[in-house]
Amino acid sequence: MSKVSYERRGPAAVLTITRPERRNAVDDETAGLLLESFHRFEADQAAAALVLNGEGPEAFCAGADLKALAERAAEFSGDDPQAAVDSWLDERPAGPLGFTRLRASKPTIAAISGWCLAGGLELALWCDLRVATADARLGFTERRFGVPLIDGGTQRLPRIVGMGRALEMILSGRLLDAAEALDWGLVNEVVSDGEHLDRALEIAAGLAAFPQPTMLSDRLAAIDGAGLELERGLELEAELGRASVATGVAGAGRFAAGEGRGAAGAGV
Protein backbone atom coordinates (compact mmCIF):
# COMPACT_ATOMS: atom_id res chain seq x y z
CA MET A 1 0.00 0.00 0.00
CA SER A 2 1.31 3.44 -0.90
CA LYS A 3 2.28 5.78 1.90
CA VAL A 4 0.62 8.67 0.07
CA SER A 5 -2.64 8.87 -1.83
CA TYR A 6 -3.72 11.42 -4.41
CA GLU A 7 -7.29 11.74 -5.59
CA ARG A 8 -9.53 14.29 -7.26
CA ARG A 9 -12.60 15.39 -5.30
CA GLY A 10 -14.49 17.81 -7.51
CA PRO A 11 -12.24 20.81 -8.25
CA ALA A 12 -9.83 19.85 -5.48
CA ALA A 13 -6.91 17.46 -5.37
CA VAL A 14 -6.69 15.66 -2.02
CA LEU A 15 -3.19 14.63 -1.01
CA THR A 16 -3.19 12.31 2.01
CA ILE A 17 -0.32 10.85 4.02
CA THR A 18 -1.43 7.28 4.72
CA ARG A 19 0.75 6.12 7.61
CA PRO A 20 -1.63 6.25 10.58
CA GLU A 21 0.38 3.57 12.38
CA ARG A 22 3.25 6.12 12.48
CA ARG A 23 0.99 9.13 13.10
CA ASN A 24 1.54 9.94 9.42
CA ALA A 25 5.21 10.68 9.99
CA VAL A 26 7.28 11.24 6.86
CA ASP A 27 10.18 8.94 5.97
CA ASP A 28 12.29 9.21 2.82
CA GLU A 29 9.89 7.23 0.67
CA THR A 30 6.92 9.28 1.84
CA ALA A 31 8.77 12.51 1.12
CA GLY A 32 9.47 11.35 -2.42
CA LEU A 33 5.83 10.48 -2.96
CA LEU A 34 4.72 13.85 -1.60
CA LEU A 35 7.00 15.58 -4.09
CA GLU A 36 5.62 13.50 -6.96
CA SER A 37 2.08 14.35 -5.90
CA PHE A 38 2.90 18.05 -5.73
CA HIS A 39 4.07 18.00 -9.34
CA ARG A 40 0.96 16.03 -10.30
CA PHE A 41 -1.22 18.73 -8.75
CA GLU A 42 0.68 21.50 -10.51
CA ALA A 43 0.24 19.75 -13.85
CA ASP A 44 -3.48 19.12 -13.31
CA GLN A 45 -5.16 22.17 -14.84
CA ALA A 46 -8.58 21.02 -13.62
CA ALA A 47 -7.46 20.93 -9.97
CA ALA A 48 -8.11 24.43 -8.63
CA ALA A 49 -6.87 23.78 -5.08
CA LEU A 50 -4.90 21.25 -3.07
CA VAL A 51 -6.13 19.81 0.23
CA LEU A 52 -3.34 18.28 2.34
CA ASN A 53 -4.57 15.68 4.81
CA GLY A 54 -3.43 12.88 7.09
CA GLU A 55 -5.20 9.53 7.28
CA GLY A 56 -7.25 8.89 10.39
CA PRO A 57 -8.36 11.12 13.24
CA GLU A 58 -5.26 10.76 15.43
CA ALA A 59 -2.79 12.85 13.46
CA PHE A 60 -2.41 15.18 10.53
CA CYS A 61 1.33 14.53 10.56
CA ALA A 62 3.85 14.01 13.37
CA GLY A 63 6.71 15.34 11.24
CA ALA A 64 9.80 13.48 10.13
CA ASP A 65 9.87 9.80 11.04
CA LEU A 66 12.48 9.95 13.81
CA LYS A 67 12.59 6.16 14.07
CA ALA A 68 13.59 5.94 10.40
CA LEU A 69 16.06 8.77 10.92
CA ALA A 70 17.58 7.01 13.92
CA GLU A 71 18.27 4.00 11.73
CA ARG A 72 20.69 6.22 9.80
CA ALA A 73 22.59 7.07 13.01
CA ALA A 74 25.65 5.05 12.01
CA GLU A 75 25.84 6.84 8.68
CA PHE A 76 25.52 10.25 10.35
CA SER A 77 28.09 9.50 13.07
CA GLY A 78 30.93 8.14 10.95
CA ASP A 79 34.28 9.71 10.14
CA ASP A 80 32.65 12.75 8.50
CA PRO A 81 29.09 13.08 9.84
CA GLN A 82 28.55 16.55 8.36
CA ALA A 83 29.40 15.29 4.89
CA ALA A 84 26.85 12.49 5.32
CA VAL A 85 24.19 14.96 6.43
CA ASP A 86 25.04 17.32 3.57
CA SER A 87 24.78 14.49 1.04
CA TRP A 88 21.40 13.43 2.43
CA LEU A 89 20.03 16.97 2.32
CA ASP A 90 21.49 17.68 -1.11
CA GLU A 91 19.39 14.81 -2.45
CA ARG A 92 16.27 16.71 -1.27
CA PRO A 93 16.55 20.23 -2.69
CA ALA A 94 12.76 20.68 -2.58
CA GLY A 95 12.79 20.07 1.19
CA PRO A 96 13.40 17.07 3.47
CA LEU A 97 9.64 16.46 3.75
CA GLY A 98 9.10 16.55 0.01
CA PHE A 99 8.01 19.92 -1.38
CA THR A 100 8.32 22.47 1.43
CA ARG A 101 10.76 24.68 -0.52
CA LEU A 102 8.52 24.80 -3.56
CA ARG A 103 5.62 27.18 -4.06
CA ALA A 104 2.23 26.09 -5.29
CA SER A 105 0.70 28.17 -8.07
CA LYS A 106 -2.82 27.52 -6.76
CA PRO A 107 -4.46 27.69 -3.30
CA THR A 108 -3.57 25.07 -0.72
CA ILE A 109 -5.49 24.04 2.40
CA ALA A 110 -4.37 21.89 5.33
CA ALA A 111 -7.12 19.69 6.82
CA ILE A 112 -5.81 19.03 10.32
CA SER A 113 -7.03 16.45 12.82
CA GLY A 114 -5.27 15.53 16.04
CA TRP A 115 -1.50 15.90 16.24
CA CYS A 116 0.17 18.43 13.95
CA LEU A 117 3.74 18.36 15.16
CA ALA A 118 7.27 19.29 14.15
CA GLY A 119 7.66 18.89 10.40
CA GLY A 120 3.94 18.19 10.22
CA LEU A 121 3.33 21.73 11.42
CA GLU A 122 5.80 22.94 8.80
CA LEU A 123 3.72 21.15 6.15
CA ALA A 124 0.59 22.85 7.49
CA LEU A 125 2.35 26.23 7.46
CA TRP A 126 3.25 25.64 3.81
CA CYS A 127 -0.47 25.76 3.04
CA ASP A 128 -2.38 29.00 2.50
CA LEU A 129 -5.20 28.06 4.87
CA ARG A 130 -5.57 25.68 7.79
CA VAL A 131 -8.77 24.01 9.04
CA ALA A 132 -8.42 22.09 12.31
CA THR A 133 -10.60 19.87 14.46
CA ALA A 134 -11.31 20.85 18.04
CA ASP A 135 -8.91 18.17 19.31
CA ALA A 136 -5.97 19.38 17.20
CA ARG A 137 -2.64 20.02 18.90
CA LEU A 138 0.09 21.99 17.13
CA GLY A 139 3.71 22.56 18.06
CA PHE A 140 7.41 22.13 17.36
CA THR A 141 7.96 19.26 19.76
CA GLU A 142 11.23 18.31 18.05
CA ARG A 143 12.80 21.00 20.22
CA ARG A 144 13.24 18.27 22.87
CA PHE A 145 15.54 16.26 20.59
CA GLY A 146 17.50 19.02 18.86
CA VAL A 147 15.99 18.42 15.43
CA PRO A 148 16.14 21.70 13.46
CA LEU A 149 13.30 23.34 11.56
CA ILE A 150 14.42 23.07 7.94
CA ASP A 151 11.11 22.73 6.13
CA GLY A 152 10.14 26.38 6.28
CA GLY A 153 8.88 26.68 9.84
CA THR A 154 11.22 29.48 10.93
CA GLN A 155 10.23 31.57 7.91
CA ARG A 156 6.52 30.93 7.54
CA LEU A 157 5.37 30.93 11.17
CA PRO A 158 6.46 34.54 11.90
CA ARG A 159 4.66 35.68 8.76
CA ILE A 160 1.46 34.07 10.00
CA VAL A 161 1.38 34.76 13.76
CA GLY A 162 4.02 37.46 14.23
CA MET A 163 7.59 37.21 15.46
CA GLY A 164 6.91 37.22 19.22
CA ARG A 165 4.46 34.35 19.13
CA ALA A 166 6.51 32.47 16.55
CA LEU A 167 9.61 32.64 18.72
CA GLU A 168 7.61 31.41 21.70
CA MET A 169 6.66 28.28 19.76
CA ILE A 170 10.05 27.81 18.12
CA LEU A 171 12.12 28.29 21.26
CA SER A 172 9.94 26.50 23.80
CA GLY A 173 8.39 23.75 21.69
CA ARG A 174 5.13 24.14 23.57
CA LEU A 175 1.85 22.86 22.19
CA LEU A 176 -1.13 24.98 21.20
CA ASP A 177 -4.61 23.56 21.33
CA ALA A 178 -7.06 24.36 18.56
CA ALA A 179 -8.73 27.24 20.39
CA GLU A 180 -5.43 29.02 21.07
CA ALA A 181 -4.21 28.34 17.53
CA LEU A 182 -7.39 29.98 16.22
CA ASP A 183 -6.90 32.96 18.53
CA TRP A 184 -3.35 33.37 17.25
CA GLY A 185 -4.39 33.09 13.60
CA LEU A 186 -2.36 29.92 13.21
CA VAL A 187 -5.49 28.12 12.02
CA ASN A 188 -8.30 29.81 10.11
CA GLU A 189 -11.20 27.67 11.36
CA VAL A 190 -11.94 25.09 14.02
CA VAL A 191 -14.55 22.46 13.20
CA SER A 192 -16.06 19.49 14.98
CA ASP A 193 -14.10 16.24 15.05
CA GLY A 194 -14.20 14.46 11.72
CA GLU A 195 -15.36 17.48 9.73
CA HIS A 196 -11.98 18.93 8.76
CA LEU A 197 -11.71 17.31 5.34
CA ASP A 198 -15.29 18.11 4.35
CA ARG A 199 -14.83 21.74 5.36
CA ALA A 200 -11.53 22.00 3.48
CA LEU A 201 -13.21 20.59 0.38
CA GLU A 202 -16.06 23.06 0.81
CA ILE A 203 -13.57 25.92 0.92
CA ALA A 204 -11.75 24.55 -2.13
CA ALA A 205 -15.01 24.37 -4.08
CA GLY A 206 -15.78 27.96 -3.13
CA LEU A 207 -12.37 29.14 -4.28
CA ALA A 208 -12.74 27.24 -7.54
CA ALA A 209 -16.00 29.09 -8.26
CA PHE A 210 -14.33 32.52 -8.27
CA PRO A 211 -12.80 34.05 -11.44
CA GLN A 212 -9.38 32.40 -11.35
CA PRO A 213 -7.07 34.96 -13.04
CA THR A 214 -7.84 37.65 -10.46
CA MET A 215 -7.83 35.37 -7.43
CA LEU A 216 -4.50 33.84 -8.41
CA SER A 217 -2.85 37.19 -9.16
CA ASP A 218 -4.09 38.64 -5.85
CA ARG A 219 -2.81 35.55 -4.01
CA LEU A 220 0.62 35.91 -5.62
CA ALA A 221 0.77 39.64 -4.86
CA ALA A 222 0.00 38.99 -1.19
CA ILE A 223 2.57 36.20 -0.87
CA ASP A 224 5.40 37.82 -2.81
CA GLY A 225 4.71 41.27 -1.43
CA ALA A 226 4.87 40.19 2.20
CA GLY A 227 8.61 40.74 2.51
CA LEU A 228 8.85 43.91 0.41
CA GLU A 229 8.84 47.57 1.30
CA LEU A 230 5.35 49.02 0.85
CA GLU A 231 6.30 51.03 -2.24
CA ARG A 232 7.70 47.97 -4.02
CA GLY A 233 4.77 45.87 -2.84
CA LEU A 234 2.34 48.33 -4.40
CA GLU A 235 4.30 48.18 -7.64
CA LEU A 236 4.11 44.38 -7.60
CA GLU A 237 0.37 44.50 -6.95
CA ALA A 238 -0.08 46.84 -9.91
CA GLU A 239 2.07 44.65 -12.17
CA LEU A 240 0.22 41.46 -11.31
CA GLY A 241 -3.22 43.05 -11.26
CA ARG A 242 -2.87 44.56 -14.70
CA ALA A 243 -3.30 41.19 -16.39
CA SER A 244 -6.66 40.54 -14.72
CA VAL A 245 -8.29 43.96 -15.09
CA ALA A 246 -10.32 42.61 -18.01
CA THR A 247 -11.67 39.90 -15.74
CA GLY A 248 -12.70 42.57 -13.26
CA VAL A 249 -14.43 44.63 -15.92
CA ALA A 250 -16.47 41.59 -16.95
CA GLY A 251 -17.36 40.99 -13.29
CA ALA A 252 -18.45 44.60 -12.90
CA GLY A 253 -20.82 44.06 -15.80
CA ARG A 254 -22.38 41.08 -14.05
CA PHE A 255 -22.80 43.10 -10.86
CA ALA A 256 -24.43 45.94 -12.78
CA ALA A 257 -26.86 43.40 -14.22
CA GLY A 258 -27.92 42.42 -10.69
CA GLU A 259 -25.61 39.52 -9.77
CA GLY A 260 -24.13 39.32 -6.29
CA ARG A 261 -26.11 42.08 -4.57
CA GLY A 262 -26.03 42.14 -0.79
CA ALA A 263 -22.63 40.38 -0.83
CA ALA A 264 -24.26 37.19 -2.11
CA GLY A 265 -21.60 34.63 -3.01
CA ALA A 266 -18.90 36.34 -0.94
CA GLY A 267 -16.83 34.19 1.38
CA VAL A 268 -16.49 30.43 1.42
Side-chain angles (χ1 to χ4, degrees):
M1 178 179 177
S2 177
K3 297 177 179 180
V4 169
S5 71
Y6 180 99
E7 62 175 326
R8 282 288 305 283
R9 299 273 294 271
V14 179
L15 176 55
T16 304
I17 303 172
T18 58
R19 304 188 71 209
E21 74 284 356
R22 298 291 300 151
R23 289 185 173 175
N24 296 317
V26 178
D27 61 7
D28 283 352
E29 181 183 357
T30 306
L33 292 170
L34 287 172
L35 179 59
E36 290 177 12
S37 297
F38 169 83
H39 289 305
R40 182 176 175 182
F41 165 67
E42 285 292 305
D44 188 349
Q45 296 183 1
L50 177 71
V51 173
L52 183 59
N53 184 41
E55 182 178 339
E58 184 180 0
F60 168 74
C61 175
D65 189 331
L66 297 185
K67 182 177 179 181
L69 193 60
E71 293 172 355
R72 307 179 70 103
E75 178 182 342
F76 290 157
S77 60
D79 294 336
D80 193 346
Q82 188 60 52
V85 170
D86 290 343
S87 175
W88 180 66
L89 292 175
D90 288 345
E91 294 173 0
R92 295 154 183 79
L97 295 187
F99 52 71
T100 51
R101 293 177 190 152
L102 302 179
R103 182 173 61 184
S105 63
K106 297 172 282 188
T108 54
I109 306 165
I112 301 168
S113 176
W115 300 109
C116 179
L117 305 176
L121 179 52
E122 293 184 279
L123 283 172
L125 293 169
W126 176 87
C127 295
D128 299 330
L129 304 173
R130 284 155 293 282
V131 177
T133 56
D135 70 343
R137 298 293 183 270
L138 305 91
F140 291 126
T141 51
E142 72 270 48
R143 177 59 56 231
R144 298 168 297 167
F145 306 113
V147 179
L149 307 182
I150 52 175
D151 279 281
T154 64
Q155 302 305 300
R156 295 189 176 103
L157 185 62
R159 287 167 165 81
I160 294 169
V161 303
M163 185 60 74
R165 284 173 164 171
L167 285 174
E168 181 179 348
M169 292 187 71
I170 291 168
L171 296 177
S172 72
R174 82 173 182 90
L175 290 173
L176 270 63
D177 62 22
E180 190 170 16
L182 180 65
D183 181 60
W184 282 25
L186 179 53
V187 301
N188 301 90
E189 289 188 33
V190 175
V191 298
S192 299
D193 293 351
E195 295 182 1
H196 55 300
L197 180 56
D198 287 343
R199 178 54 182 150
L201 288 168
E202 183 181 18
I203 294 172
L207 298 180
F210 293 139
Q212 295 297 294
T214 305
M215 186 189 70
L216 294 178
S217 68
D218 286 349
R219 173 182 179 269
L220 186 58
I223 293 172
D224 281 3
L228 301 177
E229 295 291 336
L230 178 59
E231 182 178 0
R232 176 59 191 130
L234 292 171
E235 292 174 355
L236 175 65
E237 179 188 77
E239 292 167 8
L240 294 172
R242 182 183 297 271
S244 59
V245 168
T247 302
V249 170
R254 296 199 307 275
F255 177 80
E259 181 181 333
R261 296 298 173 85
V268 291

